[in-house]
Amino acid sequence: MLWLLAHNNERLLGHGAVAREVWRLYFHWHGVLAHGAFPAHDTLWQYPPGAGAVLLAPGVVPGLSYFQAFVALTLATDALVTAALARAGTRSGRTLLGAALWTGGLPLLLHLPLARYDVEVTAFAVLSLLALSRSTRACGTLAALGALVKVWPALVLLGVERGRPTRSAWLSAALAGSATLAVFAVSFRNPLAFLRQQGGRGVQIESLGGTALSLARHAGWRGTVRYRYGAMELVGPHVHAVATASLVLTAAAFALLLAWRVRARHWTRATPYDAALSAVLLFTVTSRVISPQYMIWLLGLAAVCLTSRHTSQRPVAALVVAATAVSSVAYPAFYGEVVGCTWTGCLLMLARNGLLVGAAALSLTRLWRATRRPKGTAHSTSVTGSHLSRPRLSAAPASLRGD
């Protein structure tokens, strides 16, 4: 990945566009943040205030340029995630497949992970889930800190077992999030400026709706592609309707997840991991934006799932890896084809997004089935924290033993 980053200017590697995000855009934001304000009037700034801390960090690393320090910190975070997954995989009932997926899957995105701060965001989610078996408070705190950097890590709390574990995790998340947000509000001006920019976003060309509109151009739709809000978006008739449909689908996905949580009866140690992957997959495929770096999130969560022998998400992880590989072909190598809505670009996006939709549907289906009440039992299985609470083994069916 470092070698690819060093050859970033090659045509198939994007003509320098991948690394430009760091040394031009992130470095510019660093300068604004260093003066005690968030870039409120910059339409490209669409991130919660915690992102400011991540972008300021490279500036305090001695002896390195901003770009070099950013890459060094990303590599250090990658190493931390790898070590955490490997350590988790050596425990009883665990496997090293998670560490293997992260180590082998991340380079499928070429040098992109080293030039975006999504590895750092994913680290919060991964560490939050892995901390759950030892401390629900640590789980909630890490999820809240991650949410303040890029919102979606809050979804990892969805699968925490009902009752006291949920109350503890969510209370810790609320306290940590509120305290950290207060620090940003005192230390910086305009910490919530990102909300204004998020509301104005349209349909990105790589999203599910964008794929549909790109195909519609071959059927006579007269839309165009423009650079807006830091992404290539489609502009033209019916775009607003497609954007609204995406929001409706996101709401429907949230309703499905809530229905699953209400109806779930059988929890294993892998259930929180599986639920986190399912939730992020559903929110990704229904989003108006599916940037290539979003695959980093899914790889991290799939890796956490594979640390457990009880996960229901193994085939889903395989689909995520396949989608990651296709995504790296579409960006940066053939991104011009995608932006031009050529048949090649459309088919690449259709393949990538088709794999993601299939993964999301399969993930929720397998999660739902895995958490149904086991046949012949009248009680649920509780497995959050350092203890295991369940019916006495002498009275339990064989399906519950060894969870």
Side-chain angles (χ1 to χ4, degrees):
M1 292 167 69
L2 280 170
W3 185 89
L4 292 171
L5 189 62
H7 294 79
N8 175 68
N9 290 321
E10 297 292 332
R11 182 183 66 84
L12 289 178
L13 296 178
H15 287 299
V18 175
R20 190 180 303 133
E21 186 109 347
V22 177
W23 60 260
R24 179 181 292 180
L25 186 60
Y26 288 3
F27 183 61
H28 166 69
W29 284 339
H30 169 270
V32 177
L33 290 162
H35 287 86
F38 287 91
H41 303 293
D42 188 343
T43 58
L44 301 183
W45 179 257
Q46 301 150 22
Y47 310 107
V54 176
L55 298 180
L56 280 170
V60 300
V61 177
L64 298 177
S65 68
Y66 183 87
F67 182 83
Q68 293 169 336
F70 183 91
V71 174
L73 290 175
T74 303
L75 286 170
T77 307
D78 175 21
L80 175 64
V81 172
T82 305
L85 290 167
R87 183 181 179 185
T90 59
R91 297 174 186 164
S92 177
R94 300 297 188 99
T95 170
L96 288 169
L97 283 176
L101 184 144
W102 175 258
T103 305
L106 200 63
L108 290 177
L109 290 168
L110 308 180
H111 54 308
L112 178 70
L114 300 182
R116 299 292 186 274
Y117 76 91
D118 293 86
V119 170
E120 287 84 343
V121 180
T122 304
F124 280 108
V126 169
L127 296 176
S128 173
L129 288 169
L130 294 180
L132 180 59
S133 61
R134 294 179 178 271
S135 171
T136 52
R137 292 179 180 178
C139 171
T141 298
L142 288 166
L145 295 177
L148 282 174
V149 177
K150 214 166 187 179
V151 181
W152 69 265
L155 293 172
V156 305
L157 298 179
L158 187 69
V160 177
E161 189 185 0
R162 291 193 298 266
R164 185 165 59 87
T166 288
R167 290 193 295 272
S168 175
W170 279 98
L171 178 60
S172 298
L175 292 175
S178 299
T180 308
L181 187 59
V183 171
F184 281 114
V186 171
S187 306
F188 296 88
R189 299 185 299 277
N190 306 313
L192 300 180
F194 75 101
L195 294 173
R196 184 187 313 126
Q197 315 303 347
Q198 278 289 349
R201 298 196 78 164
V203 178
Q204 189 211 26
I205 196 167
E206 294 166 85
S207 67
L208 202 61
T211 301
L213 290 172
S214 296
L215 288 168
R217 290 188 68 179
H218 293 277
W221 180 67
R222 297 186 177 182
T224 58
V225 178
R226 293 181 186 175
Y227 182 75
R228 304 195 320 158
Y229 296 96
M232 302 305 294
E233 295 187 352
L234 288 149
V235 179
H238 313 301
V239 171
H240 180 71
V242 172
T244 302
S246 295
L247 295 174
V248 171
L249 287 174
T250 299
F254 186 65
L256 279 173
L257 290 166
L258 288 180
W260 161 78
R261 184 171 173 82
V262 170
R263 295 174 65 88
R265 293 292 180 270
H266 179 63
W267 249 264
T268 72
R269 287 184 177 89
T271 300
Y273 307 163
D274 296 353
L277 177 58
S278 186
V280 176
L281 266 169
L282 284 169
F283 276 82
T284 298
V285 298
T286 59
S287 174
R288 295 171 294 172
V289 179
I290 307 181
S291 296
Q293 58 265 31
Y294 289 15
M295 302 307 301
I296 300 172
W297 317 346
L298 300 176
L299 287 171
L301 295 177
V304 175
C305 290
L306 292 189
T307 62
S308 174
R309 297 184 186 277
H310 303 290
T311 183
S312 63
Q313 304 292 305
R314 286 191 182 91
V316 177
L319 289 176
V320 167
V321 171
T324 301
V326 176
S327 187
S328 65
V329 176
Y331 183 86
F334 288 90
Y335 197 58
E337 303 286 336
V338 175
V339 172
C341 300
T342 66
W343 278 114
T344 299
C346 288
L347 291 175
L348 281 171
M349 285 295 94
L350 193 62
R352 196 281 299 270
N353 290 341
L355 286 167
L356 287 180
V357 170
L362 183 62
S363 178
L364 183 61
T365 300
R366 293 181 67 88
L367 174 68
W368 202 293
R369 290 175 178 172
T371 54
R372 290 184 303 186
R373 189 196 308 275
K375 293 181 180 179
T377 66
H379 302 283
S380 62
T381 301
S382 173
V383 287
T384 300
S386 58
H387 65 281
L388 181 62
S389 173
R390 60 185 176 187
R392 292 194 311 183
L393 290 179
S394 59
S399 63
L400 281 180
R401 297 172 189 165
D403 276 348

